[in-house]
């Protein structure tokens, strides 16, 4: 009855995700498999890392989180399994785990090298099915992470999600744009009330006041709010901030 | 082992639906969660209401139906939980439940106000995760709906799905256009055979005969049939009636 | 706790798949339902057949595989249930099962005619919900396939997936293009090493060398690799072979 989450860039048009689930259920027939998303933009490791960061900690302790965004499949990048105080993570070692693992207490990192836990025959194009699915099912069944392969000292790390304070000014950047066109920034909020007197700026222009919720402005008007991920976000009520302001991941953002 | 259905406009590109499932499974580890759809057009309360109407009654008694199409999130619209003779419904009180509840015997309506059943900290932008998911899980676990908050006398109601009979003429309108481009009308059929001699008209023009099934006409030809939702629908065999006739929700339809 | 897989062209915008799951869970409350895909192109029987072929055998023995791509719904095409040595298959008899059944040992083919296992009232537009869902749940519950209706001698067969060897030249065609723009051919590989000296040709032009994995070429360069389905496939590293070479299903392919 363990839970396994899946985050991939496989899309949902083909049978790829379905076959991963078949492989999991053959090994762990009572696993509860939860899709986080399969629509990570192709090979977008940062988007996958941010999606994992925003979701994994809502799941019960013991959940196995699988992330397969894997442009280097079949090459020398290593598949890894990580045990933290509360969770397991299974992914190619290309940075997709790094945002989540900054927040977790790591117990053990192992390269997935033991062929006993791979599907046979092992191909070179679909390790989601051939490596990550069976390993997640075995971990969910309770095998020791140590059995998977040699110990590693660390995983590949992406540049962290950063912000800087200079007096009353906070500088950050856009890290993710969601389906509603809301732009999530790298600026965390502890006490949301601290931000309520401030405004948000992009390219030197003030674009929105910081308020409590989308409905604090009229339809079609911009607003910055404490978002659901713990970061400040830029929105336009019932419309797309992404389109209105031509926002892109990586753009600098200032709140002051 | 209770069942919880989810109908939202969250899309499937981000982690939103996945985190709702994590929250549910932490509270109700054996819940069976079923996606109705997450692709309700953004903020389209009528489409959500019709999707719920067309799906909830196929589920076993006791199922908890969650609908989150919530343009007013964080503002004064109330979150509600409704117990009917056979089901539970959890949603923002903005009309999304009204079509389904016209057909159900309501036992109890409660505002979801008791913070004990909210996720903490409670944000202002994602009540799907912070309010509706945990409440659905608690209801699935068997807590009394009365515990959620104060009693309400009614929910917000949309204008009902209507049709009018004048002799042998029946007037209605288009209420939903599906993925195949079929246009579902507001005209119900009891005995489908009663309609078999008739034709369907839009903007004064006869556009199709009423027949039994799509395959009763040739490829590319229009037909009106008794649809799977209990309403008459307009189709074009192996093509899109929506595109062929430029149909839109709200257009008047006559069968005679 | 039986597993039921679903492969359809219903899309995920409407409530169609959700209602099928409701019907299944009313009959078989502990069924584990797995989506293969609901985005088969509308009425594309070959794509559905290939998706089933590529997925079903990863599931545990006893799994019930439901395929609903059914342009003839409501007409005279027969609904069928097939029991093989390891699996069950439920579908309209229009060829969607034929690729998978070429590889399975068939035990029994039955027309689904017994109204006892249909939803009531039975409509003419949505047999996924009214026939295939309830039948799959009853099979998952263990009813004998013989109870569903009269014995049939065979199912409708599509032209098989073919390739031809002439000396060191192998001729085949493109059978499927996936979400990444990779083109899967009809040319199977037994020992992938046998192909490593060869090149792949389309319209008389050499378009790529055969190598081991996508990462054996530079970004943006074409490559042919032994794919995850057991067939040779044409890819462009971190891009779309489909777009680069304007590939289409049915195009002739030569490896030599």
């Amino acid at each position: 009855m363990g839970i396994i989450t899946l985050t991939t860039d496989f899309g949902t048009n083909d049978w790829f995700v379905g076959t991963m689930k078949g492989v999991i259920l053959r090994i762990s027939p009572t696993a509860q498999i939860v899709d986080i998303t399969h629509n990570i933009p192709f090979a977008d490791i940062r988007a996958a890392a941010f999606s994992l960061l925003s979701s994994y900690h809502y799941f019960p302790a013991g959940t196995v989180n699988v992330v397969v965004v894997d442009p280097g499949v079949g090459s020398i990048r290593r598949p890894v399994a990580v045990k933290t105080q509360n969770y397991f993570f299974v992914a190619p070692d290309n940075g997709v785990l790094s945002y989540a693992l900054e927040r977790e207490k790591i117990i053990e990192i192992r390269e997935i090298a033991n062929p006993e836990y791979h599907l046979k025959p092992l191909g070179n194009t679909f390790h989601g099915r051939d490596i990550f699915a069976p390993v997640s099912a075995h971990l969910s069944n309770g095998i020791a992470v140590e059995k998977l392969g040699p110990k590693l000292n660390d995983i590949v790390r992406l540049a962290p999600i950063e912000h800087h304070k200079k007096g009353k000014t906070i500088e950050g950047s856009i890290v993710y744009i969601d389906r509603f066109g809301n732009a999530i920034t790298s600026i965390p909020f502890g006490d949301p009330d601290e931000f309520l007197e401030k405004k948000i700026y992009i390219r030197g222009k003030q674009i929105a006041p910081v308020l409590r919720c989308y409905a604090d402005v009229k339809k079609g008007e911009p607003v910055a709010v404490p978002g659901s991920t713990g970061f400040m976000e830029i929105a336009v009520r019932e419309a797309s901030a992404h389109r209105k302001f031509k926002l892109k991941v990586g753009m600098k953002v200032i709140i002051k």
Side-chain angles (χ1 to χ4, degrees), chain A:
Chain A
M1 282 203 315
I3 297 171
I4 296 172
T5 76
L6 304 180
T7 303
T8 79
D9 64 356
F10 293 160
T12 53
N13 287 356
D14 310 302
W15 55 85
F16 305 141
V17 174
T19 56
M20 287 181 67
K21 293 180 181 175
V23 169
I24 289 170
L25 293 171
R26 269 217 298 216
I27 296 167
S28 183
T30 62
Q32 169 97 274
I33 306 169
V34 178
D35 301 307
I36 301 303
T37 176
H38 300 291
N39 294 325
I40 298 291
F42 174 62
D44 189 338
I45 290 169
R46 285 188 164 269
F50 195 78
S51 297
L52 180 67
L53 173 69
S54 303
S55 56
Y56 80 93
H57 52 99
Y58 291 97
F59 284 83
T63 293
V64 182
N65 297 287
V66 180
V67 187
V68 195
V69 173
D70 193 14
V73 61
S75 70
I76 55 164
R77 69 91 189 93
R78 299 176 297 199
V80 292
V82 181
K83 180 182 182 173
T84 70
Q85 196 158 32
N86 291 308
Y87 296 103
F88 295 93
F89 297 87
V90 176
D93 188 20
N94 59 16
V96 286
L97 299 181
S98 70
Y99 294 167
L101 292 182
E102 280 172 40
R103 304 220 179 152
E104 286 292 298
K105 188 176 169 198
I106 294 175
I107 307 288
E108 188 82 30
I109 307 174
R110 294 278 167 162
E111 182 178 350
I112 302 170
N114 186 343
E116 195 180 326
Y117 301 105
H118 297 170
L119 203 68
K120 284 155 204 93
L122 170 64
N124 286 318
T125 61
F126 190 7
H127 285 181
R129 182 192 69 193
D130 299 350
I131 294 181
F132 301 113
V135 163
S136 72
H138 285 295
L139 287 172
S140 190
N141 279 351
I143 70 141
V145 70
E146 290 77 9
K147 291 196 172 171
L148 295 173
K151 193 181 178 69
L152 299 175
N153 291 318
D154 201 2
I155 55 155
V156 169
R157 301 274 178 177
L158 302 177
I161 298 172
E162 284 186 310
H163 69 289
H164 302 283
K165 283 197 180 180
K166 300 181 184 173
K168 295 199 164 178
T169 298
I170 312 170
E171 280 187 25
S173 61
I174 293 174
V175 293
Y176 189 91
I177 292 171
D178 76 15
R179 107 95 152 183
F180 299 110
N182 299 335
I184 302 173
T185 75
S186 65
I187 300 172
F189 57 90
D191 175 6
D193 291 346
E194 274 181 30
F195 288 80
L196 280 179
E197 306 283 293
K198 298 179 184 282
K199 313 277 187 229
I200 198 159
Y201 296 78
I202 291 189
R203 298 189 205 88
K205 271 194 191 160
Q206 178 185 318
I207 65 162
V210 178
L211 296 169
R212 283 180 57 263
C213 72
Y214 308 134
D216 282 344
V217 293
K218 289 181 194 151
K219 268 196 202 186
E221 289 193 357
V223 64
V225 295
S228 64
T229 53
F231 296 99
M232 297 300 298
E233 75 182 49
I234 305 165
V236 171
R237 185 174 173 188
E238 296 183 40
S240 166
H242 170 50
R243 267 203 295 269
K244 184 178 179 99
F245 297 112
K246 300 195 171 66
L247 303 179
K248 286 188 186 158
V249 168
M251 276 183 176
K252 293 275 168 267
V253 167
I254 289 174
I255 296 182
K256 65 182 178 188

